[in-house]
């Protein structure tokens, strides 16, 4: 029971430190799989940004549901590994199962784990819903429930089916 309370406290504390709703997302410059630069200015919005790690069991459990939402809504889901050891090969291999996700990879300017630090991400997965102006509408530290995610996408201005 003590571990559950500690985990809940850590999650709440971490969410309080992260980029909060109403704040603009930090600047970054990463590459899509084709080598094209993606910045907060050039990414399609509204969007979802998910920080994850290849070893994360919660991420593994959550990704099928997130991918289904990405398929249904056509909202871009940018996925960024916050794990410094996740190489380009590891990320691209993992993402083969999720073709609607847009994995963002290291560039000459930024590394994915550095971008995670700018967002003040303290765990995996962390999901940010971003509106058309590049402001955070919602943050999910841990699993993002389907209905809550759809509500956040509506708040972000997404046209949902």
């Amino acid at each position: 029971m003590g571990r559950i309370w500690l985990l809940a406290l850590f999650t709440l504390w971490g969410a309080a430190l992260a980029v909060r709703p109403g704040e603009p997302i930090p600047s970054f410059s990463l590459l899509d799989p084709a080598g094209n630069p993606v910045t907060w200015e050039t990414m399609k919005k509204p969007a979802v940004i998910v920080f994850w790690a290849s070893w994360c069991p919660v991420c593994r459990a959550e990704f099928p549901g997130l991918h289904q939402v990405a398929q249904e809504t056509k909202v871009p889901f940018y996925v960024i590994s916050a794990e410094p050891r996740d190489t380009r090969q590891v990320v691209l291999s993992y993402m083969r199962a999720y073709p609607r996700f847009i994995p963002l990879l290291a560039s000459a300017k930024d590394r994915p784990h550095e971008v995670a630090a700018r967002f003040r991400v303290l765990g995996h997965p962390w999901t940010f819903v971003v509106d058309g102006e590049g402001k955070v509408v919602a943050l999910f530290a841990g699993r993002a429930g389907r209905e809550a995610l759809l509500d956040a996408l509506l708040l972000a201005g997404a046209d949902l089916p």
Side-chain angles (χ1 to χ4, degrees):
M1 182 70 150
R3 287 182 130 178
I4 293 172
W5 282 104
L6 185 60
L7 180 61
L9 181 62
F10 178 74
T11 300
L12 289 172
W13 176 70
L17 293 177
V19 177
R20 290 186 284 261
E23 294 181 353
I25 61 173
S27 65
F28 65 86
S29 180
L30 295 170
L31 300 176
D32 70 14
N36 300 311
V38 177
T39 67
W40 75 271
E41 295 96 345
T42 63
M43 64 187 271
K44 295 178 183 173
K45 299 178 219 61
V48 176
I49 302 172
V50 181
F51 290 93
W52 66 287
S54 63
W55 55 262
C56 169
V58 177
C59 301
R60 280 190 211 116
E62 179 183 50
F63 268 24
L66 289 181
H67 192 256
Q68 184 176 358
V69 171
Q71 286 178 309
E72 293 169 3
T73 65
K74 307 292 190 256
V75 170
F77 276 59
Y78 297 93
V79 291
I80 302 171
S81 175
E83 172 57 58
R85 292 174 291 191
D86 279 351
T87 65
R88 174 185 176 86
Q89 284 180 304
V90 167
V91 169
L92 293 178
S93 175
Y94 195 98
M95 287 301 134
R96 282 190 192 117
Y98 306 104
R100 286 284 308 152
F101 287 171
I102 304 163
L104 298 184
L105 307 162
S107 70
K109 181 178 178 190
D110 276 327
R111 303 285 177 259
H113 67 278
E114 296 166 346
V115 174
R118 274 186 230 133
F119 275 78
R120 299 186 296 275
V121 168
L122 297 177
H124 310 95
W126 280 38
T127 303
F128 295 82
V129 178
V130 180
D131 70 11
E133 296 176 8
K135 291 184 180 174
V136 174
V137 171
L139 159 65
F140 301 93
R143 290 181 87 159
R146 177 184 172 76
E147 294 306 316
L149 183 57
L150 290 171
D151 287 347
L153 287 170
L154 284 172
L155 288 173
D159 288 327
L160 301 184

